[in-house]
Amino acid sequence: MKLEFHHINFVSDNVDRMHDFYTRLLGLDDIPQDNFPRTEAKGTTGYDGKIRFATEGAMQMHLAERQLDVAFRNGQVINPVDRGHIAFRTDDLAGFLEHLDREGIPYSDYGTTFAKEWHQVFFQDPEGNVIEVHQQVTDDSSA
């Protein structure tokens, strides 16, 4: 099971101000929002907050609107857009979840609630920092 660092997520009440800071002041490149197909929030499920993206070329920054009730609305425990999180991509999410289960680490499995192309799981380190591990999912109907 391979893990690679993928992105850091910062949350804000003013996503555009944060995006401007990282792109204008620090010179990061904007990543078009079209590169991240989102799952539509419906009723009381999902996440409809504003998100912007930036990169220095290798690592991504996801700048998301803070929503304190996301976990509650989605029947989960861990809220990835309360304080933000770091994220890793894996090539074997099922194997990674078995690993978390063996270690007794509780997690919130959001599936594709936030992103159409990523199956996302969130858990916490011993200090309460939120960590995401996701696997890219493909649409087998186009095969």
Side-chain angles (χ1 to χ4, degrees):
M1 154 184 49
K2 180 180 120 185
L3 280 179
E4 64 183 35
F5 188 74
H6 188 266
H7 69 267
I8 187 166
N9 173 282
F10 285 155
V11 295
S12 173
D13 295 322
N14 188 330
V15 171
D16 290 330
R17 180 183 67 203
M18 289 284 283
H19 187 264
D20 180 65
F21 177 86
Y22 284 102
T23 56
R24 185 183 52 78
L25 186 70
L26 295 181
L28 273 62
D29 295 322
D30 173 64
I31 303 174
Q33 293 181 14
D34 293 345
N35 290 6
F36 298 91
R38 293 178 68 181
T39 302
E40 182 180 348
K42 295 180 181 175
T44 59
T45 61
Y47 170 71
D48 59 1
K50 185 173 197 161
I51 305 176
R52 302 282 307 267
F53 306 94
T55 185
E56 80 341 328
M59 188 205 64
Q60 297 178 6
M61 291 193 74
H62 296 185
L63 308 168
E65 182 179 359
R66 179 177 286 113
Q67 285 189 0
L68 299 178
D69 64 347
V70 163
F72 178 77
R73 288 189 299 119
N74 287 279
Q76 299 291 341
V77 175
I78 297 173
N79 182 346
V81 290
D82 175 7
R83 297 184 306 156
H85 58 272
I86 61 171
F88 298 87
R89 178 169 282 179
T90 184
D91 58 352
D92 182 8
L93 187 60
F96 186 77
L97 294 180
E98 289 174 10
H99 177 63
L100 289 178
D101 289 337
R102 280 191 306 272
E103 294 292 326
I105 304 294
Y107 54 87
S108 289
D109 186 343
Y110 279 87
T112 57
T113 299
F114 302 138
K116 289 181 180 181
E117 298 177 350
W118 297 358
H119 184 143
Q120 296 170 292
V121 174
F122 299 89
F123 57 99
Q124 295 173 317
D125 71 12
E127 293 295 326
N129 298 300
V130 175
I131 301 167
E132 169 188 335
V133 172
H134 70 263
Q135 182 170 1
Q136 197 157 14
V137 296
T138 57
D139 180 9
D140 292 336
S141 65
S142 62

